[in-house]
Amino acid sequence: MTVKTLLDNRYSVRGFKPDPVDPELLKSIFTQAQMSPSNCNVQPWEPLVVSGEMRDKVSNAMLKSVMSGNPPNPKFDWVTRYQDEHRQRQFGSANALYSAMDIKREDKQARNMAMLRNWQFFDAPHAVFFTMETYMGIMGAVDVGIYAQTLNLLFAENGIQSCMQGALGQFPDEVEKLLDIPDSKGILFGMSFGYEDPDHPANAARTDRIELGEAVKFFD
């Protein structure tokens, strides 16, 4: 399967079957992902994969933090107040998801319940937290983003679906305790992954991309 085919056909999956991915296949994929490029080959990514009992403990801890009403407490400044066309694309993405799930704009309770599924990993049997040393700042974040995309494509190549989630970095305190993450490191974001539940309505959501001429400028 070519990279073009993978990109043409992939989408964020927000409904998974409980079936776990074979541990040896996971090790193989994460081994391949180590070949991702990084600035000066520093390889700042430190992914933490949760499955089984630990997956449940982490999910429950995050849900407890969210439901407490306390504000997000990320290690990194991830809050972006989108403006102009970026704000419109954000609205479009939300509309695609909630429309697929038949959730009306005014139904705040249903929207909140749908949002909570982020911290339940959308029922995926696995999740990975992308961590790095906090001192590395934007350069480290760039490299971790490259690594995450490599991992995402390797998953797709092996028939494993996923969803990138900024939400998994919002309430890190209890996760850091459970996964023994030292103060010098932080969770940038995460990704839920496993095998898609084709019957889940959220998986019918699709987003579009802007035209090449609007996104890229070529200079001769």
Side-chain angles (χ1 to χ4, degrees):
M1 193 179 298
T2 66
V3 174
K4 180 182 184 305
T5 301
L6 292 174
L7 290 172
D8 285 345
N9 289 281
R10 72 153 300 281
Y11 49 88
S12 294
V13 167
R14 295 182 175 88
F16 292 86
K17 295 178 179 180
D19 312 47
V21 179
D22 179 78
E24 291 305 313
L25 176 57
L26 281 187
K27 289 179 182 178
S28 174
I29 291 172
F30 277 88
T31 298
Q32 289 177 295
Q34 283 299 113
M35 298 306 294
S36 298
S38 60
N39 185 54
C40 299
N41 195 37
V42 297
Q43 306 171 55
W45 49 80
E46 297 186 34
L48 304 177
V49 183
V50 294
S51 308
E53 184 178 344
M54 182 56 76
R55 174 244 183 250
D56 295 341
K57 287 182 178 179
V58 169
S59 175
N60 290 335
M62 289 190 297
L63 281 171
K64 184 177 179 180
S65 295
V66 175
M67 297 298 287
S68 71
N70 293 326
N73 184 37
K75 275 285 185 72
F76 300 93
D77 182 16
W78 58 267
V79 178
T80 301
R81 294 171 178 82
Y82 295 115
Q83 302 175 20
D84 304 323
E85 68 272 19
H86 306 118
R87 183 70 166 158
Q88 293 303 314
R89 292 170 196 159
Q90 180 189 31
F91 283 150
S93 176
N95 183 62
L97 175 60
Y98 292 131
S99 295
M101 299 177 71
D102 196 26
I103 296 176
K104 302 295 187 289
R105 184 180 181 85
E106 63 274 10
D107 192 345
K108 292 184 178 181
Q109 182 177 359
R111 288 193 169 217
N112 287 336
M113 292 301 294
M115 178 64 71
L116 285 175
R117 284 179 52 76
N118 274 279
W119 298 286
Q120 296 172 315
F121 307 126
F122 303 113
D123 297 328
H126 312 279
V128 53
F129 292 88
F130 299 107
T131 75
M132 70 174 195
E133 294 282 351
T134 56
Y135 84 87
M136 302 195 76
I138 186 65
M139 286 306 301
V142 168
D143 291 339
V144 174
I146 294 170
Y147 172 86
Q149 173 71 338
T150 301
L151 188 63
N152 180 276
L153 292 174
L154 286 168
F155 279 154
E157 184 180 49
N158 285 274
I160 301 166
Q161 289 74 43
S162 60
C163 184
M164 300 277 196
Q165 295 168 257
L168 297 187
Q170 291 181 7
F171 297 90
D173 294 348
E174 294 304 316
V175 181
E176 290 174 352
K177 292 177 185 177
L178 285 167
L179 302 184
D180 198 24
I181 301 174
D183 289 340
S184 64
K185 299 176 183 179
I187 299 170
L188 267 173
F189 61 102
M191 179 166 59
S192 298
F193 65 92
Y195 297 108
E196 179 181 6
D197 175 2
D199 296 324
H200 197 286
N203 292 334
R206 297 290 185 274
T207 55
D208 58 11
R209 298 295 185 270
I210 61 175
E211 295 295 329
L212 178 65
E214 188 177 350
V216 183
K217 294 181 180 178
F218 296 92
F219 298 89
D220 293 323

